[in-house]
Amino acid sequence: MTALLEITDLWAGYGRQQVLQGINLHVDEGEVAVILGANGAGKTTTMRAISGMIERRGSVLFQGTAIGAASPDHIVHAGIAQVPQGRGTFTDLTVEDNLRAGAFVRKNTNDSIDTDIRQWFEVFPRLAERRLQKAGSLSGGEQQMLAIARALMSKPTLLLCDEPSLGLAPIITQELFDVLGRLNAQDGLSILIVEQNANLALRIAHQVFVLETGTITASGTPSEIAQNDTVRKAYLGF
Amino acid sequence: MPITITESSAQHWALRFVGVATLAGVAVYFASGAAPSTLGKITEACTLAIAAIALNLLLGFNGQISLGHSTFAGLAAFTAGYSVNAWHWNPWLSLLISCAVCFAFGMLVGLPALRLKGSYLALVTLAVAFVWPTVARKFLNQTVKQSTLTGMKLKPPTWTGLANNRADRATFLFWLSIALLIVAYGIVRNIRKSRIGRSLVAVRDNETAAAVMGVNLPLTKTITFGISASLAGLAGWLTAAQLTTLDENSFSILTSIKYLLALILGGAATLAGPVVGAFVYYFVDNLLKTNAPKWNFLPGQLSNGPVASFLLGAVVVAFVFIAPTGFVGLIKSQTRKIAIVVPRPLRHKAVAEASVENSKSP
Amino acid sequence: MGDILQYFLNGLARGSIYSLVALGLVVIYQGTGHLNFAQGEMSLFATFGAWWFNDHGVPLWLSILLAASFAFVGGGAIEFGLIRPAAKKSPFAVVVVTIGLFQAFNSLSGLLFKGAATGLSFGTIFPNKPNDFFRLPGGAVWRYENIGVLVTVLIITALLFTLFRKTKVGLAMRMVANNADSAKLSGVPTNKVLMLSWGLATAIGTIGCALVAGINTNVSLGTMFGVFLLASAAAILGGLDSPLGAVVGGLSLGVIESFVTNYPKDWWASTYIGADTATAAAFVIILVVLLVRPSGLFGSARVERV
Amino acid sequence: MTMLEANDISVKFGGIVALDGLSFTIDDGQICGLIGPNGAGKTTMFNVISRIYEASSGQLTFRGHNLLKVPAHRIAKLGVARTFQNLALFPTMTLLENVMVGGHSTGTIGFARSIFRFGTARAEQTLRDEAGDLLVALDLDKLAFHPAAGLPFGTLKRLEIARALAAHPTFLLMDEPASGLTHSEVDELSETIKRIRDEFKLAVLLVEHHMAMVMNVSDKVIAMEFGRKIAEGSPSAVQNDQRVIDSYLGTSS
């Protein structure tokens, strides 16, 4: 299987402080990869480095093309969409405009964008009910669903999810991972997820990477990872 | 490897003493030898420093922006000038009254600040500064029936042994301005180093959290506005003591901008910043105003005003990038290489060595 | 009755200019959360440029268009070269930079254009001979010049609204305004959008300044002081993030100003404040509005989550 | 003994009902978990107690005081302190200063006395020593003179607790303290909460989604939905309540 995203020796940080100290990881085509790590380990930094939101050094290959120095809008054009931490809702825009905003990079006519918007309203009926409301009035769970739909409106090949379960009730979190699992299984979408809630994430994962203080300290399939005692104790809690 | 000096230790006190003694020596040197015009310039720089200190208390430490400080200074200057000339008040009494009037007016202007932040507040205070010259002109037309107001013509008190001639008056105003500068500096320093000072900074950093910690937001913000305004009034009163005539243009918006630029140049939210900034601003401005008309390489016949103010505007913009912490920040980063003052260690039975190590990192 | 209508019409003319400059402020504020204190002086500088072109034989309407185009480029360049790097430091740094620019541009105008301090004569593109007016019932006159200004402002406003609501560029601007990070992650080249905002705002401001100069028949260093202040007051009144608010705020401020100046001819304060009451009264009104609705009449109140 | 009694509290924002007649009590020294789906009104209840929001109706009594009549800045003095969900520290201040601001309500020195430095030295020293002790208690003393900005999330969460304790509270409100922490950090935090409860004799109201933690530390759990209470009782009772499972926990947790 070919690697869709291949990251080699990636360094990144804020100002002089280097948070990522040469990480290596890859996401294969059609697979779900999960990054586990404590706060401050550099999970969000990894996501922002891949999306080009911060200065970084090192090689990032996406479908064989180097995107390690590209700007965020080029990376979205290339086919990587990100659901940022805290959902990044356009709170003053309506739910429908949020979805339209997600389709910003598409050259398509309005018709095909409208068709896709209708499709997402079928997937998430609660969004359809609030179509013309400002997105800021949605509950946390609804906003998270909207954020995922918005990211997918750009028709990406790879979806990055930064702590999607943060601040969500357990039942909503389960629903969310069900959706992500379905997207992967049915539509073949490749996904890279950063999560604290390891138990749920591992259920849909094919590959797991453990990130500690800016470096990848362990990697493998979920079952391999679950056998690693220290990792299990720190992230899975049993 | 720099020398480490603990705060409030004997070495620290010695260092402070040397610093104060040097400054005092410089002041005595000027007072004894310099021409009255030079003393006059230092007096003006001190006046600007007091205004910048006033703005620093409000903007630097409390995070409330004001472009209306020229109005407070103007209000104090007019109160002083009018009460001394028309009602023959004692000038020293007029000092107290001017500051009190500014305190009250400052609290009043501070009221909208309870609801407004950032740019909104800046605009409201800008409006105050904009309306002031109009009000001043009306006042002069209606009440004084002239276009100008006479200054206070402050005489040196007899105990000073100074005569009422130009040179002695200059010496007197020089020492007076230094004394008032020390008072203003002392007030702001004492506030900053106390429970109240911490609460001011807390309000600046995070209002909601400060309120939850028990800080009374409306009271803290309006009183800070009031104190800052009365310190600006101090600067205004001092201006009225120096000038022979005051008019509506003495305290325009540009004066407020000058206070702000001086503060930024020196370094906001530091104690020394406004003083250093005011002196640098004043003397650079002076230098440019004297020399710019001689520059032949500039096109055409230039009035000296625009060159100086253009360059100063440009310098301050440049400073935001080169030295965002102002002159004081620049100086600190250099002296750090020689000596660092570290806080006193924590006192606790379980603390062996309180983290002197960590205070070295910024 | 005719008087009232007359004051209303005069107020509309002046107010439409406040609306225009306020729109420029809103375009920038929406995109960046910054208030450009130098907006008036940047536009003034460009308007002096228009005067220079006109003085060198270029027709006035073309001079104004040329100046507005230069202002567009210049505004974008200032965003790129000064504002963006300052914004990386702190929001306060941007305030300082715009105030520094205020001083720098005002002095630069005085430096480059001889006679700018006292005023240079400036023409108008609308007919403004003494008898160029409609007579309305009741005796009020509506000058063609004032109609022209109002119509110009309405056209520009309509164009801006179409841009915001109907185009992809407008969507991008609204996205950046609401959440710059998410806009980037949705593929919006935010840097270009911000430059565009600054360019647009400066160009709009320049047209506003040229119109003011036309009504005053001259342009001087002090031309934009009051206009900027009332325009920003209008923007605040309407809510800094609402273009509609800017227009309504500007027009109502112009009308209020006109009435306060003319109507209560002999009231008690008129000896003290007289015609200048207008500015003061305008600010009292704004203050009252802000105390009741801190985000303006049309501004969106953001609920802070703690 | 009952310390806090909420009786029929309602909060309305415009047309939205955020809290709908909520009643509960908390006893001295009790750790009470508050759970419920997003938008159930947990944070709203928090903000009512810490006087950031006004309640539309109802009574709230804390140690005999009518809390709804107390202005926001007097709350700390009564002994109510809180931590924030998304950290609300003073970034430019050092850790020591942050904790000293936390003790603001214990001081009495006002503007006049600070300008004239009238009797300020001793109060300052006492506050500083207390703040130092709290930094030690939460293992932050090594960073006492470091500004809060730029420190790791977990460290700042501990700083929030230290700052809250500086007010000498008898009642501590914690808003999602575990969010953003890993399992092992959450376990540590649970121990810290129990430790400070015993050491400082506190009652704690804990809003949290991390069920393992809520079940581990709470003496009692209240579950909410749509601004109303749907269950109350021991952790295990609430965990097995069918309504709580349906609306919040889900089946496979």
Side-chain angles (χ1 to χ4, degrees):
Chain A
M1 198 174 290
T2 52
L4 181 68
L5 180 78
E6 177 98 55
I7 294 174
T8 326
D9 196 27
L10 185 68
W11 291 69
Y14 305 89
R16 269 172 297 173
Q17 200 184 350
Q18 288 295 305
V19 179
L20 298 188
Q21 311 193 332
I23 67 166
N24 301 296
L25 65 86
H26 59 92
V27 183
D28 288 340
E29 197 132 14
E31 288 204 338
V32 177
V34 172
I35 302 178
L36 301 178
N39 233 283
K43 300 189 305 296
T44 295
T45 311
T46 308
M47 291 305 212
R48 292 175 71 83
I50 298 172
S51 303
M53 296 291 283
I54 51 171
E55 293 290 318
R56 70 279 196 208
R57 276 180 296 126
S59 152
V60 182
L61 284 181
F62 181 66
Q63 294 179 320
T65 322
I67 55 163
S71 63
D73 50 306
H74 283 113
I75 288 169
V76 181
H77 272 282
I80 300 179
Q82 185 180 337
V83 179
Q85 196 176 42
R87 316 188 250 280
T89 314
F90 295 108
T91 46
D92 290 345
L93 269 53
T94 61
V95 169
E96 192 176 320
D97 274 352
N98 264 273
L99 294 177
R100 219 172 278 287
F104 184 81
V105 294
R106 280 166 63 177
K107 298 260 181 291
N108 301 35
T109 55
N110 280 337
D111 283 355
S112 78
I113 290 174
D114 286 344
T115 314
D116 284 358
I117 290 177
R118 271 198 298 276
Q119 225 164 44
W120 281 113
F121 283 157
E122 276 164 34
V123 179
F124 301 120
R126 268 188 308 199
L127 294 184
E129 288 163 26
R130 292 163 172 70
R131 197 166 68 91
L132 296 177
Q133 279 181 25
K134 283 191 174 178
S137 67
L138 301 184
S139 75
E142 288 161 355
Q143 286 195 32
Q144 190 67 59
M145 301 302 176
L146 176 63
I148 290 173
R150 190 188 74 221
L152 293 174
M153 280 299 289
S154 69
K155 299 255 173 196
T157 330
L158 173 65
L159 181 71
L160 310 178
C161 285
D162 193 352
E163 298 215 24
S165 77
L166 198 68
L168 296 185
I171 195 168
I172 307 281
T173 310
Q174 288 156 29
E175 201 182 315
L176 179 82
F177 276 96
D178 288 347
V179 168
L180 289 174
R182 263 206 313 277
L183 284 167
N184 171 255
Q186 292 173 7
D187 306 342
L189 180 72
S190 308
I191 307 176
L192 175 63
I193 307 175
V194 148
E195 240 326 312
Q196 306 274 7
N197 199 331
N199 292 318
L200 272 171
L202 290 203
R203 247 184 254 168
I204 61 166
H206 300 98
Q207 276 289 326
V208 182
F209 299 90
V210 176
L211 185 63
E212 277 170 358
T213 57
T215 48
I216 299 286
T217 51
S219 68
T221 62
S223 52
E224 285 164 12
I225 284 291
Q227 275 156 22
N228 182 329
D229 276 349
T230 43
V231 172
R232 202 177 59 210
K233 197 163 179 318
Y235 302 103
L236 302 177
F238 56 83
Chain B
M1 189 63 198
I3 311 159
T4 310
I5 299 170
T6 308
E7 195 183 359
S8 301
S9 64
Q11 295 105 309
H12 193 219
W13 279 109
L15 200 68
R16 281 177 178 168
F17 180 78
V18 171
V20 170
T22 314
L23 287 176
V26 171
V28 170
Y29 169 79
F30 272 107
S32 60
S37 63
T38 312
L39 289 183
K41 280 179 188 164
I42 298 177
T43 307
E44 282 181 28
C46 285
T47 313
L48 178 58
I50 294 172
I53 285 177
L55 190 58
N56 191 33
L57 175 66
L58 188 69
L59 175 62
F61 294 130
N62 200 210
Q64 303 192 68
I65 189 162
S66 164
L67 294 170
H69 267 46
S70 57
T71 303
F72 301 128
L75 190 64
F78 271 60
T79 307
Y82 190 74
S83 62
V84 169
N85 284 307
W87 300 330
H88 307 289
W89 280 15
N90 182 324
W92 305 107
L93 178 65
S94 79
L95 169 64
L96 292 181
I97 301 292
S98 303
C99 287
V101 167
C102 283
F103 184 80
F105 187 56
M107 297 253 297
L108 200 67
V109 176
L111 283 181
L114 299 180
R115 300 291 295 268
L116 307 174
K117 276 176 212 155
S119 307
Y120 282 82
L121 180 58
L123 271 172
V124 170
T125 55
L126 184 73
V128 171
F130 180 78
V131 174
W132 164 254
T134 319
V135 174
R137 185 171 62 238
K138 289 286 160 186
F139 172 78
L140 292 172
N141 290 345
Q142 298 294 326
T143 313
V144 193
K145 313 275 187 218
Q146 290 171 9
S147 59
T148 59
L149 186 67
T150 318
M152 279 191 296
K153 298 191 206 98
L154 198 59
K155 289 191 209 90
T158 42
W159 59 264
T160 55
L162 294 166
N164 190 15
N165 59 34
R166 180 165 176 260
D168 277 10
R169 253 203 315 271
T171 312
F172 172 65
L173 281 175
F174 169 79
W175 284 117
L176 179 64
S177 68
I178 287 180
L180 292 181
L181 175 59
I182 291 171
V183 168
Y185 179 87
I187 288 174
V188 173
R189 182 178 188 275
N190 285 352
I191 291 178
R192 173 63 189 99
K193 303 219 166 205
S194 70
R195 167 177 181 264
I196 292 296
R198 261 193 317 274
S199 71
L200 293 191
V201 179
V203 169
R204 179 191 74 187
D205 277 10
N206 192 324
E207 223 168 74
T208 311
V212 170
M213 302 302 127
V215 179
N216 185 342
L217 293 181
L219 194 77
T220 307
K221 286 171 122 184
T222 42
I223 291 191
T224 308
F225 223 113
I227 294 176
S228 176
S230 61
L231 289 176
L234 202 62
W237 180 86
L238 198 54
T239 312
Q242 294 160 58
L243 292 178
T244 46
T245 58
L246 296 164
D247 66 20
E248 70 201 61
N249 293 321
S250 308
F251 300 93
S252 70
I253 296 173
L254 295 174
T255 312
S256 277
I257 293 183
K258 183 166 79 178
Y259 297 161
L260 179 69
L261 296 188
L263 175 62
I264 300 304
L265 206 58
T270 60
L271 287 170
V275 183
V276 175
F279 272 81
V280 172
Y281 185 95
Y282 182 83
F283 285 101
V284 170
D285 185 37
N286 221 273
L287 211 67
L288 289 171
K289 274 191 181 139
T290 340
N291 290 314
K294 298 176 202 153
W295 296 342
N296 314 324
F297 55 86
L298 285 171
Q301 38 161 198
L302 295 167
S303 60
N304 42 14
V307 186
S309 61
F310 170 70
L311 287 176
L312 267 169
V315 164
V316 172
V317 169
F319 243 68
V320 171
F321 299 106
I322 309 165
T325 47
F327 252 94
V328 166
L330 274 184
I331 297 168
K332 264 192 192 152
S333 64
Q334 292 310 307
T335 51
R336 248 171 196 285
K337 290 173 190 162
I338 306 164
I340 326 171
V341 178
V342 297
R344 283 172 298 136
L346 297 175
R347 287 200 312 207
H348 183 275
K349 20 191 190 315
V351 187
E353 266 313 315
S355 48
V356 169
E357 218 33 56
N358 285 295
S359 67
K360 286 176 190 167
S361 54
Chain C
M1 187 58 211
D3 281 358
I4 293 181
L5 186 58
Q6 185 67 60
Y7 299 147
F8 181 75
L9 294 177
N10 293 352
L12 273 191
R14 193 112 189 120
S16 53
I17 288 172
Y18 299 152
S19 304
L20 201 53
V21 178
L23 268 176
L25 286 170
V26 167
V27 166
I28 289 182
Y29 188 86
Q30 266 205 318
T32 57
H34 301 141
L35 195 63
N36 179 13
F37 284 92
Q39 165 110 320
E41 301 313 295
M42 284 160 68
S43 313
L44 178 70
F45 184 70
T47 305
F48 277 115
W51 170 86
W52 188 86
F53 287 128
N54 190 229
D55 199 45
H56 284 69
V58 181
L60 186 63
W61 64 271
L62 186 59
S63 306
I64 295 175
L65 272 187
L66 275 175
S69 329
F70 279 115
F72 182 81
V73 176
I78 283 174
E79 195 282 325
F80 178 78
L82 291 173
I83 305 299
R84 194 178 307 163
K88 280 187 189 145
K89 302 205 178 268
S90 74
F92 179 64
V94 178
V95 175
V96 175
V97 168
T98 58
I99 288 175
L101 284 174
F102 172 96
Q103 174 154 350
F105 268 103
N106 193 286
S107 335
L108 195 64
S109 303
L111 210 67
L112 294 182
F113 301 98
K114 220 187 291 174
T118 45
L120 299 164
S121 73
F122 202 92
T124 167
I125 47 176
F126 304 113
N128 71 337
K129 289 193 205 72
N131 57 352
D132 282 337
F133 58 77
F134 281 120
R135 187 168 294 280
L136 294 171
V141 294
W142 201 3
R143 296 187 53 77
Y144 294 160
E145 184 184 18
N146 288 357
I147 298 174
V149 170
L150 186 62
V151 169
T152 311
V153 170
L154 290 180
I155 290 174
I156 292 177
T157 311
L159 287 176
L160 270 182
F161 269 91
T162 317
L163 177 77
F164 275 134
R165 293 288 152 194
K166 300 281 173 214
T167 68
K168 211 169 162 180
V169 176
L171 177 64
M173 288 174 88
R174 285 189 291 145
M175 286 162 76
V176 174
N178 192 215
N179 190 329
D181 261 15
S182 288
K184 273 188 203 167
L185 288 174
S186 307
V188 175
T190 47
N191 288 343
K192 286 182 198 155
V193 170
L194 292 184
M195 277 171 74
L196 179 73
S197 305
W198 274 73
L200 263 182
T202 318
I204 294 172
T206 303
I207 294 174
C209 184
L211 292 176
V212 175
I215 292 180
N216 298 350
T217 68
N218 89 88
V219 54
S220 78
L221 289 186
T223 299
M224 285 307 273
F225 258 19
V227 176
F228 169 73
L229 207 65
L230 280 153
S232 47
I236 287 186
L237 184 65
L240 271 172
D241 56 359
S242 158
L244 177 68
V247 176
V248 176
L251 292 178
S252 36
L253 217 56
V255 172
I256 291 168
E257 188 187 30
S258 173
F259 274 97
V260 175
T261 313
N262 296 297
Y263 209 56
K265 283 205 166 52
D266 295 308
W267 66 314
W268 61 270
S270 58
T271 40
Y272 263 90
I273 319 180
D276 302 309
T277 325
T279 325
F283 278 107
V284 170
I285 289 169
I286 287 157
L287 223 56
V288 171
V289 170
L290 284 181
L291 292 178
V292 181
R293 278 190 62 105
S295 50
L297 289 176
F298 297 84
S300 53
R302 294 213 170 126
V303 178
E304 234 179 295
R305 286 189 69 110
V306 283
Chain D
M1 211 189 103
T2 304
M3 174 169 70
L4 180 90
E5 184 178 354
N7 188 9
D8 203 19
I9 298 275
S10 293
V11 174
K12 296 185 182 74
F13 300 116
I16 304 159
V17 181
L19 282 181
D20 188 6
L22 184 66
S23 306
F24 63 92
T25 60
I26 297 175
D27 295 342
D28 279 322
Q30 194 174 45
I31 298 183
C32 174
L34 191 58
I35 62 171
N38 304 90
K42 303 182 303 288
T43 300
T44 307
M45 189 60 224
F46 242 67
N47 287 334
V48 168
I49 298 176
S50 53
R51 302 290 289 129
I52 292 173
Y53 292 166
E54 285 300 325
S56 320
S57 64
Q59 292 93 38
L60 189 62
T61 317
F62 177 75
R63 295 187 183 284
H65 298 274
N66 179 357
L67 218 51
L68 298 180
K69 289 267 182 290
V70 178
H73 66 272
R74 305 284 302 172
I75 289 288
K77 187 136 193 139
L78 287 180
V80 181
R82 70 171 284 181
T83 65
F84 293 82
Q85 188 177 334
N86 301 315
L87 295 178
L89 291 158
F90 308 117
T92 64
M93 292 180 152
T94 63
L95 267 53
L96 180 68
E97 281 182 304
N98 265 283
V99 178
M100 286 172 84
V101 175
H104 185 87
S105 61
T106 62
T108 52
I109 287 159
F111 272 97
R113 280 178 72 187
S114 60
I115 287 175
F116 297 108
R117 299 198 124 193
F118 184 69
T120 56
R122 173 174 296 179
E124 275 294 287
Q125 188 59 52
T126 315
L127 185 58
R128 193 177 196 268
D129 290 346
E130 271 185 31
D133 290 351
L134 284 171
L135 288 176
V136 174
L138 284 144
D139 194 23
L140 293 163
D141 51 304
K142 295 275 180 295
L143 293 164
F145 303 113
H146 196 292
L151 289 174
F153 193 72
T155 311
L156 295 177
K157 288 235 153 186
R158 287 210 305 283
L159 176 60
E160 279 224 326
I161 296 175
R163 186 179 66 175
L165 291 176
H168 301 173
T170 49
F171 182 33
L172 179 62
L173 302 148
M174 302 182 90
D175 197 356
E176 296 198 25
S179 85
L181 302 182
T182 59
H183 267 285
S184 51
E185 287 171 325
V186 171
D187 291 346
E188 231 172 88
L189 181 71
S190 305
E191 292 316 306
T192 309
I193 292 176
K194 284 195 237 174
R195 177 166 60 88
I196 59 171
R197 186 261 306 262
D198 297 340
E199 203 171 311
F200 297 91
K201 311 233 169 350
L202 297 170
V204 178
L205 178 64
L206 180 76
V207 165
E208 190 46 73
H209 279 311
H210 200 289
M211 290 317 293
M213 173 171 172
V214 174
M215 297 304 161
N216 176 3
V217 304
S218 305
D219 301 317
K220 138 169 139 177
V221 176
I222 297 168
M224 289 177 69
E225 191 188 12
F226 301 125
R228 290 193 208 101
K229 183 165 76 182
I230 55 168
E232 178 175 1
S234 71
S236 57
V238 171
Q239 199 168 19
N240 293 318
D241 185 295
Q242 196 54 43
R243 258 184 98 183
V244 177
I245 293 171
D246 290 345
S247 72
Y248 180 64
L249 291 174
T251 43
S252 52
S253 180

